[in-house]
């Protein structure tokens, strides 16, 4: 993507492999998308929220091959202006998302996802949202 290069991608892939990932696929992120989390977010053990116009077919097929179901972001205005995909899963089927995305929230809830909204208007003025203000944590394998 526009915020990485091949060397960086290979280093991240190596870190995933060393941590036990069975499969690592380096994919091109579409023009204008800074991170892969602008194209998908895993919201349950087998459920992903995706931006179909941005998601690589390679990623889509890899998710399907591993048994994932996909929810297409239902509203372009919420996807772009409301940063609806810029959310954080707290647990399988439980997410925190930016407030003001009622269509996306309703679709996720229809799929059994519990949604908590937070106001992040000031952060969004700088081009970020909920996912942008989180850090990586270690999770034990289930």
């Amino acid at each position: 993507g526009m915020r990485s290069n091949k060397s960086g991608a290979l280093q991240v892939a190596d870190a995933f492999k060393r941590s036990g990932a069975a499969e690592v696929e380096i994919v091109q992120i579409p023009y204008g998308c800074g991170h892969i989390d602008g194209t998908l977010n895993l919201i349950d053990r087998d459920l992903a929220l995706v931006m179909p116009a941005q998601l690589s077919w390679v990623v889509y097929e890899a998710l399907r091959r591993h048994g994932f179901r996909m929810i297409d972001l239902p509203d372009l205005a919420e996807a772009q202006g409301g940063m609806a995909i810029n959310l954080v899963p707290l647990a399988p089927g439980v997410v925190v998302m930016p407030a003001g995305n009622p269509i996306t929230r309703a679709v996720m809830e229809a799929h059994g996802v519990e949604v908590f909204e937070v106001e992040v208007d000031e952060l969004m003025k700088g081009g970020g949202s909920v996912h942008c203000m989180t850090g990586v944590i270690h999770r034990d394998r289930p």
Side-chain angles (χ1 to χ4, degrees):
M2 60 191 223
R3 294 186 177 155
S4 186
N5 59 30
K6 188 170 184 171
S7 174
L10 290 169
Q11 290 174 49
V12 171
D14 183 58
F16 276 117
K17 289 176 187 172
R18 284 185 281 115
S19 71
E23 181 181 338
V24 177
E25 181 82 34
I26 296 175
V27 295
Q28 182 67 41
I29 296 174
Y31 174 78
C33 185
H35 303 283
I36 198 164
D37 65 1
T39 66
L40 82 131
N41 211 318
L42 304 181
I43 57 177
D44 205 333
R45 293 190 197 299
D46 67 346
L47 186 62
L49 181 65
V50 302
M51 179 116 166
Q54 295 265 348
L55 186 66
S56 162
W57 183 252
V58 172
V59 174
Y60 179 83
E61 282 298 310
L63 290 170
R64 279 185 28 152
R65 192 170 56 254
H66 289 283
F68 277 84
R69 299 170 291 131
M70 262 58 84
I71 299 173
D72 289 352
L73 275 165
D75 187 85
L76 187 59
E78 286 187 4
Q80 293 176 333
M83 297 189 187
I85 200 166
N86 195 308
L87 54 82
V88 174
L90 299 177
V94 181
V95 302
V96 174
M97 72 179 295
N101 296 294
I103 298 167
T104 305
R105 179 182 181 155
V107 169
M108 286 195 294
E109 289 176 338
H111 282 84
V113 178
E114 185 177 4
V115 178
F116 294 96
E117 291 184 323
V118 293
E119 293 289 338
V120 288
D121 295 353
E122 290 300 312
L123 182 61
M124 289 172 67
K125 288 177 184 177
S129 190
V130 178
H131 192 267
C132 299
M133 63 183 183
T134 61
V136 176
I137 60 170
H138 172 77
R139 292 190 176 131
D140 292 329
R141 291 179 187 232

